[in-house]
């Protein structure tokens, strides 16, 4: 079964981990790059790294970074009085130095990601949604902020009243992205933040077109009991004017979906085929279970 | 006594360490930035860092980096198969992350250097020769190379047949550089590589002019027994067509010098006032001794 998974960070990464454990699944993960930014001069790609680290079984416990990483460089950096809010562990720094070195040499992000995934022998194809410059920006009462300014530096406490994707108009789908969606028996939208993590992917014209033609598109709701498990998805949907709960998730995806998967007894959205299961993925076993449910 | 020291890396750093230990010396160090480059996406300033680390008593033993630094990030980086020839220790990385963060925010290198020096409570003013983009490039049989390509990646084994300073024409002296030279009772050219480390400073028009008006300019020869203690100064002088030994050093500085200081019994250059002393600075005590000799 060919599966194309559209993914943000943690939720998508955990579902990718599940799919990649299934023998009969040929998995391509199309990952959001709207969160990418230069931090400390380094080209960070938080969602790509979370997907890779999680699939390699070495993700950090807080939803970012690497397992049991050390923070010596951050410690030395704080001696200078630098802002170390954006924490990069020593091993995680190496990934970012590697990516930045190659980007500055003109190597496309897709090729860099391929090399990183190959280093960890991942059983899937990991694709950035685009090799072009697409950046998510959010509007708050203090004006427009870059994604990392909003998410990490201001800890996503601001109310989001607008969202835009700088560079989306001129961004082309990354290599193999459209082919993967075209070939997929099943396109899955991961339980990621719809406006912040999935919209950046959907705003690339070539991808939107491919999804409209896709055989079957299934979204897994990121809400459980109407709340986001992690991050501000419920608050962002509400402040952007969507309905509460899974109804809002369905609205955020418009007419893209064939099916939505919601957690056991949660309210179903109207006008869509709904499937119910345990959507929580606290560990690898749960990820595999949910992935198997989606394939079946 | 106001001293302005023109400095490259190790030799200049050690002499700066000596001057800064003398109570009656008010020291300004004008440091070469021609070696600055982006490596791993980071803005490295090898000579500035060597001067700061050495004055703070925490320089690495090999002429670069910090004392007893660890290399965890480089170790993780090599897992990706990356080229880690340009070794940056974990603490040294922090300095480079700090500089890059601020440069990308538009803070001038001079202000960044001031903050770094303030962190370590240095008893001197450390000034980059310019805040502008001035880059030393060397010509070899394989064509023009960036300085770090020549020096670090190719380990300075190539014969240097030409040298140029990209951006020198439009580079202005950094803040306070001309004032420091104008006010100096003594301008000292450190025992650094004349073409590679000092010429980049001399090629900034505003600095050349200030030096021509300086009260007294003394160079310390970087050669001992006709050989460079470290690095390729003797070979570079020869391949650029200068005479062997101290005569070549004097030629490289043209009519800029009033006095040249050479090691004990080494051959003196013609046509210049020559002073003789022990120019070796293996430790702090020797640095202080040489600095005191220069002031007296």
């Amino acid at each position: 079964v060919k599966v194309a998974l559209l993914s943000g960070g943690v939720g998508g990464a955990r579902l990718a981990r599940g799919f990649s454990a299934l023998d009969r699944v040929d998995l391509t993960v199309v990952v959001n790059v709207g969160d990418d930014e230069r931090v400390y001069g380094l080209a960070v790609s938080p969602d790509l790294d979370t997907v890779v680290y999680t699939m390699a079984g070495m993700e950090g416990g807080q939803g970012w970074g690497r397992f049991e990483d050390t923070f010596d460089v951050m410690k030395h950096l704080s001696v200078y009085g630098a802002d170390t809010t954006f924490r990069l562990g020593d091993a995680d720094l190496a990934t970012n130095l590697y990516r930045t070195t190659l980007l500055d040499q003109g190597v496309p992000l897709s090729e860099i990601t391929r090399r990183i995934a190959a280093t960890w022998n991942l059983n899937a194809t990991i694709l950035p949604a685009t090799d072009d410059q697409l950046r998510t920006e959010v509007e708050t009462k203090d004006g427009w902020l870059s994604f990392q300014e909003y998410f990490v530096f201001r800890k996503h406490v601001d109310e989001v009243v607008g969202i835009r994707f700088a560079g989306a108009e001129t961004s082309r789908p990354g290599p193999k992205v459209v082919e993967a969606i075209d070939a997929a028996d099943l396109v899955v939208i991961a339980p990621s933040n719809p406006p912040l993590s999935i919209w950046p992917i959907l705003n690339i014209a070539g991808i939107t077109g491919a999804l409209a033609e896709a055989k079957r598109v299934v979204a897994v709701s990121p809400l459980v009991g109407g709340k986001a498990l992690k991050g501000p998805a419920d608050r962002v949907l509400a402040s952007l004017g969507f309905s509460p709960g899974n109804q809002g998730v369905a609205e955020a995806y418009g007419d893209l979906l064939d099916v939505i998967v919601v957690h056991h007894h949660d309210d179903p959205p109207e006008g869509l085929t709904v499937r119910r299961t345990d959507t929580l993925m606290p560990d690898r076993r749960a990820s595999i279970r949910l992935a198997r449910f989606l394939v079946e």
Side-chain angles (χ1 to χ4, degrees), chain A:
Chain A
V1 185
K2 288 186 194 295
V3 174
L5 174 67
L6 311 191
S7 174
V10 178
R14 291 185 179 181
L15 189 49
R17 168 178 70 181
F19 280 121
S20 73
L22 301 180
D23 279 342
R24 60 206 184 80
V25 167
D26 177 359
L27 176 65
T28 299
V29 191
V30 178
V31 183
N32 171 40
V33 295
D35 306 3
D36 292 16
E37 207 158 299
R38 288 265 169 170
V39 183
Y40 311 119
L42 299 176
V44 303
S45 290
D47 285 353
L48 279 169
D49 286 351
T50 295
V51 168
V52 167
Y53 294 159
T54 303
M55 294 186 73
M58 58 184 198
E59 75 279 13
Q62 309 300 312
W64 54 270
R66 277 170 64 169
F67 182 65
E68 294 193 343
D69 208 347
T70 53
F71 290 87
D72 287 346
V73 176
M74 290 292 120
K75 184 188 69 189
H76 289 296
L77 186 53
S78 65
V79 170
Y80 288 117
D83 181 351
T84 57
T85 305
F86 200 103
R87 313 253 325 138
L88 290 173
D90 299 325
D92 196 16
L93 261 170
T95 306
N96 287 292
L97 290 168
Y98 181 60
R99 177 168 38 239
T100 307
T101 304
L102 294 177
L103 279 176
D104 286 356
Q105 291 170 3
V107 180
L109 184 59
S110 52
E111 169 59 18
I112 298 166
T113 303
R114 190 195 65 72
R115 294 188 201 176
I116 292 173
T119 299
W120 306 116
N121 296 306
L122 299 189
N123 180 30
T125 304
I126 317 292
L127 304 176
T130 180
D131 278 340
D132 298 321
Q133 195 84 355
L134 182 157
R135 297 292 174 262
T136 301
E137 298 172 348
V138 302
E139 189 178 15
T140 70
K141 66 174 185 336
D142 294 337
W144 287 96
L145 305 176
S146 78
F147 183 81
Q148 296 303 340
E149 182 67 24
Y150 157 73
F151 198 82
V152 174
F153 290 98
R154 298 168 67 127
K155 303 180 199 312
H156 52 71
V157 297
D158 298 271
E159 187 181 54
V160 174
V161 297
I163 183 166
R164 66 185 179 195
F165 306 99
E169 303 75 18
T170 54
S171 291
R172 296 150 300 174
K176 301 194 208 164
V177 168
V178 167
E179 293 85 330
I181 293 170
D182 286 349
D185 301 299
L186 179 65
V187 174
V188 177
I189 300 182
S192 299
N193 188 316
L196 291 180
S197 296
I198 302 297
W199 282 6
I201 304 175
L202 303 182
N203 267 267
I204 299 167
I207 295 183
T208 320
L211 288 170
E213 308 278 305
K215 294 192 187 72
R216 178 176 282 251
V217 181
V218 179
V220 179
S221 173
L223 304 184
V224 170
K227 294 291 174 195
L229 289 167
K230 194 181 160 299
D234 48 353
R235 287 182 288 119
V236 171
L237 284 166
S239 63
L240 290 176
F242 292 101
S243 302
N246 292 319
Q247 182 65 35
V249 173
E251 289 166 9
Y253 292 133
D255 54 8
L256 182 64
L257 305 185
D258 298 303
V259 178
I260 189 166
V261 175
V262 304
H263 191 63
H264 285 318
H265 304 294
D266 285 355
D267 288 344
E270 292 169 10
L272 263 183
T273 303
V274 176
R275 292 284 179 270
R276 299 174 173 286
T277 189
D278 182 356
T279 61
L280 299 171
M281 294 178 284
D283 53 28
R284 187 161 174 277
R285 178 186 299 260
S287 295
I288 294 172
R289 208 201 50 72
L290 179 56
R292 187 176 287 129
F293 175 87
L294 287 161
V295 172
E296 289 165 358

